């Protein structure tokens, strides 16, 4: 399964 | 992390401290839209669910916790401690007109059709318009306490600084771009333009924030 995007901004 | 983002986040922090300072020193939440503050709680809770399953950095986690805690605390102050100073009759923006489209947009535009990713998108879209009840209230009353305008200015600066941050990241991180955050962010920053015009031409010249009749 595709990995979830890491949101590194607030 | 780059300087633009850091300064943007610090400006965001500053805006919250200014708002708390305003409420505590005047012992009043007059001029502050409860609806906008409630939308910010929704935004932070929906977006920062990843605190439970993803670690980015200590900075990231501490900021997220602070934004959730402080926004809930502000709601508490408005709803309980300083309730008599909160006048819902001038806070009349219909937030269902914001929530509905944001739900729809997040279902269409997201990076993955999962609960957490749709909530993330929803929070981005909702944040971009969450200030509208506050600006609507300002428009309606036609004036604002100076400290309230500093709060709004700090929020606007935070959003404005995220734009050079994205440009910087695009250049230094090999074309990285987050289309959802950028599109919503541009809209959000745009909403502050009218406010900034009055802020710079009046408040920073020492005059009261008053809109022309």
């Amino acid at each position: 399964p595709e990995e979830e995007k890491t949101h590194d901004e607030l | 992390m780059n300087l633009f983002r850091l300064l943007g986040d610090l400006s965001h922090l500053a805006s919250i401290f200014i708002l708390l300072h305003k409420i505590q020193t005047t012992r009043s939440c007059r001029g502050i839209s409860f609806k906008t503050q409630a939308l910010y709680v929704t935004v932070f809770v929906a977006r920062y669910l990843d605190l439970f399953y993803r670690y980015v950095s200590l900075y990231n986690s501490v900021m997220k916790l602070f934004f959730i805690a402080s926004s809930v605390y502000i709601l508490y102050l408005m709803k309980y401690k300083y309730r008599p100073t909160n006048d819902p009759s001038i806070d009349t923006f219909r937030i269902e007109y914001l929530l509905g489209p944001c739900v729809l947009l997040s279902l269409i535009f997201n990076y993955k059709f999962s609960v957490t990713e749709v909530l993330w998108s929803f929070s981005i879209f909702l944040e971009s318009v969450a200030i509208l009840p506050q600006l609507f209230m300002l428009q309606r009353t036609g004036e604002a306490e100076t400290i309230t305008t500093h709060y709004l200015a700090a929020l606007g600066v935070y959003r404005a600084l995220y734009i050079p941050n994205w440009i910087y990241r695009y250049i230094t991180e090999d074309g990285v771009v987050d289309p959802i955050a950028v599109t919503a962010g541009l809209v959000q920053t745009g909403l502050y333009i009218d406010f900034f015009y009055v802020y710079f031409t009046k408040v920073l010249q020492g005059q009261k924030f008053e809109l022309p009749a």
Side-chain angles (χ1 to χ4, degrees):
Chain A
E2 57 175 321
E3 206 160 296
E4 292 211 346
K5 191 174 162 68
T6 297
H7 303 293
D8 64 347
E9 293 183 348
L10 292 161
Chain B
M1 179 55 74
N2 59 64
L3 192 63
F4 300 115
R5 186 144 58 114
L6 180 65
L7 291 176
D9 290 343
L10 291 179
S11 184
H12 194 185
L13 273 187
S15 75
I16 291 169
F17 284 117
I18 294 169
L19 179 57
L20 284 169
H21 179 77
K22 176 254 175 311
I23 296 174
Q24 309 277 18
T25 53
T26 63
R27 302 187 58 76
S28 160
C29 47
R30 190 167 72 95
I32 304 298
S33 163
F34 182 82
K35 288 180 177 175
T36 282
Q37 298 305 321
L39 290 178
Y40 281 135
V41 171
T42 313
V43 164
F44 295 141
V45 171
R47 188 179 310 164
Y48 299 157
L49 285 174
D50 64 357
L51 271 171
F52 289 109
Y53 60 90
R54 181 188 292 130
Y55 180 78
V56 178
S57 66
L58 181 64
Y59 170 86
N60 189 279
S61 300
V62 170
M63 293 291 258
K64 285 173 172 172
L65 288 171
F66 177 81
F67 288 133
I68 293 174
S70 60
S71 59
V72 170
Y73 180 59
I74 288 165
L75 278 198
Y76 156 77
L77 291 178
M78 297 187 77
K79 202 75 196 166
Y80 297 98
K81 194 163 181 200
Y82 299 115
R83 188 188 184 99
T85 64
N86 176 28
D87 182 4
S89 70
I90 52 168
D91 191 11
T92 52
F93 194 93
R94 301 283 296 267
I95 55 171
E96 47 273 44
Y97 295 146
L98 301 180
L99 291 168
C102 287
V103 168
L104 205 64
L105 281 173
S106 62
L107 290 171
I108 302 168
F109 301 101
N110 53 65
Y111 294 125
K112 188 185 168 201
F113 200 71
S114 70
V115 173
T116 51
E117 278 301 303
V118 170
L119 279 173
W120 179 86
S121 272
F122 171 70
S123 82
I124 294 289
F125 293 127
L126 189 60
E127 185 190 349
S128 72
V129 291
I131 199 65
L132 284 176
Q134 177 66 60
L135 294 177
F136 184 70
M137 193 165 161
L138 208 64
Q139 188 80 255
R140 219 177 152 212
T141 52
E143 54 163 40
E145 291 168 81
T146 301
I147 183 99
T148 304
T149 65
H150 293 330
Y151 160 65
L152 287 166
L155 264 185
V157 166
Y158 143 62
R159 288 317 312 182
L161 283 168
Y162 259 63
I163 295 173
N165 153 59
W166 292 321
I167 296 170
Y168 181 88
R169 293 191 74 171
Y170 179 76
I171 296 165
T172 59
E173 293 176 38
D174 201 23
V176 67
V177 63
D178 182 334
I180 294 177
V182 171
T183 312
L186 289 174
V187 170
Q188 185 173 1
T189 312
L191 297 181
Y192 286 90
I193 291 175
D194 276 359
F195 165 79
F196 267 123
Y197 177 76
V198 183
Y199 184 75
F200 283 119
T201 56
K202 285 204 164 172
V203 181
L204 290 187
Q205 314 293 327
Q207 298 174 43
K208 194 174 158 44
F209 185 96
E210 269 177 325
L211 297 175

